[in-house]
Amino acid sequence: MALQEQVKLHYDALNGTEKEMISYLMDHLDELCSLSITDIARMLQSSRSSVLRLAQKLGYRGYSQLKYEMQNAVQMREVIPDNLVASFRHEVERTFELAEQVNFLPLVQAMSQAQNLILYATGFVQSNYLKQLSSELFMYGRPNFKVNGESNFEIIARSLTSKDLVIIAGYSGNTPGIMQTINLLGVRKVPICSVTVLSNNKLTEASRYSLFYETSELAGIEGGISMNSLGIILTILSRKYLEYTLYDEV
């Protein structure tokens, strides 16, 4: 996964000083990408151990791997791939590969049997794809309720039970604003299905069911991340549900 995606994925887990460090690194990649860990630490007015800890919190084994990704990020600015369709195809194919590793039967059974099926998205893009899932499930005869806003999500969570099911479409799985609500769902033993990028994250750890999708960086667009495959994994889920209702199998 590219440096920018790694930063977005793990940013919420960084402390204030580490956020300042990574912001400086991202703003000065051209100057810093070839420096040693000692020189980087001096530029950041920090220590070698702090730089190493930052690299590890971003998901890298050590500084050398972070340095390699910094250099790649600089090269990506200079060379825009000429086949963005191939990148999208890889994103889609990887998402199908991840889906093939999932046993959907327990999940679609839980969707079918749930007294209340709650859908929640952690961001605007996720919400758009979740609307499509909600519409398809209604079309298949499965009532559901799509919740908007962290406050509304918390209020509804207070009334849910173990007989309900919550599907949460996210990105990193570490959105701080919903963690208290996730803990509340855990206390009330409400089953959760998380939908995130493939990573170890707090939401996945708290979920009974987990689905994953692949993303890709949109070359030439600052901060551009393709999340189209979120729609694909949610479509796979809806079709698996339809298969179950029609044939009692997936």
Side-chain angles (χ1 to χ4, degrees), residues 16-245:
T17 300
E18 290 164 342
K19 288 178 179 178
E20 292 180 4
M21 291 170 63
I22 195 60
S23 294
Y24 185 86
L25 285 176
M26 297 301 289
D27 289 340
H28 300 83
L29 281 177
D30 296 281
E31 309 164 32
L32 305 178
C33 68
S34 60
L35 297 183
S36 67
I37 187 171
T38 301
D39 292 334
I40 284 280
R42 184 167 56 250
M43 292 290 289
L44 295 174
Q45 298 182 341
S46 185
S47 64
R48 288 169 50 95
S49 60
S50 295
V51 174
L52 177 59
R53 186 160 52 248
L54 173 63
Q56 292 171 339
K57 290 182 77 169
L58 291 175
Y60 299 114
R61 292 186 297 273
Y63 173 71
S64 60
Q65 190 178 11
L66 172 59
K67 178 179 178 180
Y68 175 79
E69 292 300 336
M70 289 168 61
Q71 293 172 339
N72 276 348
V74 172
Q75 293 175 0
M76 286 293 293
R77 288 178 179 175
E78 300 171 352
V79 181
I80 298 177
D82 60 359
N83 194 346
L84 296 179
V85 174
S87 176
F88 173 62
R89 179 175 180 175
H90 170 75
E91 177 185 333
V92 172
E93 291 177 344
R94 176 59 178 156
T95 299
F96 269 94
E97 290 174 1
L98 292 171
E100 289 171 358
Q101 300 173 29
V102 176
N103 178 10
F104 280 89
L105 183 57
L107 173 55
V108 296
Q109 284 177 332
M111 291 171 63
S112 176
Q113 297 167 5
Q115 286 187 356
N116 296 290
L117 179 59
I118 307 299
L119 309 181
Y120 180 77
T122 62
F124 178 76
V125 174
Q126 296 93 317
S127 181
N128 286 336
Y129 288 119
L130 208 56
K131 287 178 184 176
Q132 180 63 31
L133 174 64
S134 176
S135 298
E136 290 196 12
L137 291 177
F138 270 118
M139 186 166 58
Y140 304 154
R142 171 65 256 198
N144 61 86
F145 182 58
K146 184 178 178 296
V147 183
N148 295 312
E150 293 177 357
S151 297
N152 291 332
F153 186 32
E154 181 180 2
I155 291 170
I156 289 176
R158 296 172 189 164
S159 63
L160 299 178
T161 72
S162 60
K163 296 181 180 180
D164 301 313
L165 176 65
V166 178
I167 298 177
I168 303 176
Y171 174 61
S172 69
N174 293 313
T175 304
I178 66 168
M179 286 306 155
Q180 286 188 349
T181 304
I182 298 303
N183 292 336
L184 174 61
L185 292 173
V187 170
R188 300 185 64 84
K189 300 188 184 304
V190 181
I192 299 172
C193 172
S194 62
V195 189
T196 67
V197 295
L198 182 61
S199 67
N200 294 322
N201 60 76
K202 294 179 181 178
L203 177 56
T204 297
E205 291 174 359
S207 300
R208 183 176 303 178
Y209 313 100
S210 298
L211 301 176
F212 300 104
Y213 63 95
E214 182 77 358
T215 62
S216 60
E217 191 169 311
L218 296 174
I221 300 177
E222 186 69 25
I225 300 294
S226 168
M227 296 177 63
N228 288 291
S229 287
L230 171 57
I232 290 172
I233 190 61
L234 292 177
T235 299
I236 292 173
L237 175 59
S238 72
R239 302 302 162 82
K240 289 289 186 181
Y241 178 82
L242 180 59
E243 286 180 4
Y244 176 73
T245 60

